[in-house]
Amino acid sequence: RRFGGRESAYVGTLNEGAWSVDLDAAREALSACSLRDQPVVVLGTAFAFVHLLDALAAKECRLWLPSGSRALETGGYKGRARALPKAGLHALIADRLTIDEPYIVTEYGMSELSSQAYDHVAGSSAVQSSTRLFRFPPWARAQVCSSESGREVGDGETGLLRVFDLANVRSVLAVQTEDLAVR
């Protein structure tokens, strides 16, 4: 709300201690961008996108966002929406918001970390939705560890994600997650 330009819209609302999307305000703001033929960046959590996309589908509505528009999906359903695989969510974003899939960026992060990982540079023709690779900034390192031994797994093996984040000042240096990753 404070950092956006004149035509930016913040459509999050706090209801009974939980965040939700003001669906009418979101549809209105995105429609205004379409009318102005102004590319837009839509930022949101996975559950916020699901709520928006379900509302658009219920009204049989598709928003024709201008060419050059982008989406940043930050993950996290937290039991607040039906959970979709990333590929399914991104296909719905592409369909209902007409944002080409290479222009949908995914972020991996959590409140326990000061740094986030992003899956690619928007628009990269080399990136396919099925081969998203998350990259942390140089001051953070990710390890994929065996749930049995706690040791790092070999290339191509699956294990639990452990993140070391040097930006975590006055906090823990590393976070052992329950998220699965492939090294």
Side-chain angles (χ1 to χ4, degrees):
R1 285 182 283 203
R2 294 184 310 182
F3 298 111
R6 271 184 298 117
E7 296 166 343
S8 294
Y10 180 83
V11 296
T13 61
L14 190 57
N15 294 322
E16 299 177 19
W19 286 100
S20 63
V21 177
D22 181 336
L23 298 168
D24 291 331
R27 193 171 46 251
E28 184 179 311
L30 294 171
S31 295
C33 290
S34 293
L35 290 173
R36 290 191 305 267
D37 198 30
Q38 175 184 10
V40 63
V41 178
V42 184
L43 312 168
T45 59
F47 76 81
F49 273 108
V50 168
H51 289 304
L52 174 63
L53 298 166
D54 284 350
L56 292 173
K59 294 184 184 255
E60 297 182 10
C61 179
R62 175 175 284 115
L63 298 174
W64 299 96
L65 296 181
S67 178
S69 292
R70 310 281 196 264
L72 172 63
E73 176 262 307
T74 64
Y77 288 98
K78 298 172 183 47
R80 307 236 346 253
R82 63 188 174 95
L84 297 172
K86 284 233 184 273
L89 176 59
H90 293 181
L92 285 175
I93 292 171
D95 179 55
R96 291 284 164 194
L97 301 180
T98 61
I99 297 175
D100 291 332
E101 287 194 49
Y103 294 100
I104 302 169
V105 177
T106 300
E107 176 258 354
Y108 178 86
M110 58 189 73
S111 60
E112 297 83 0
L113 296 173
S114 296
S115 304
Q116 294 78 40
Y118 295 91
D119 66 346
H120 67 281
V121 175
S124 171
S125 60
V127 175
Q128 301 298 317
S129 61
S130 62
T131 59
R132 293 176 181 264
L133 300 173
F134 290 94
R135 289 180 176 35
F136 278 97
W139 56 85
R141 296 284 187 273
Q143 280 186 338
V144 181
C145 302
S146 165
S147 60
E148 296 168 1
S149 69
R151 293 194 172 113
E152 198 164 10
V153 300
D155 287 343
E157 293 183 44
T158 301
L160 299 175
L161 182 64
R162 181 181 297 156
V163 181
F164 294 84
D165 189 354
L166 295 180
N168 274 12
V169 177
R170 296 180 185 89
S171 182
V172 297
L173 172 66
V175 174
Q176 173 71 51
T177 75
E178 294 180 349
D179 297 332
L180 293 178
V182 177
R183 180 174 179 207

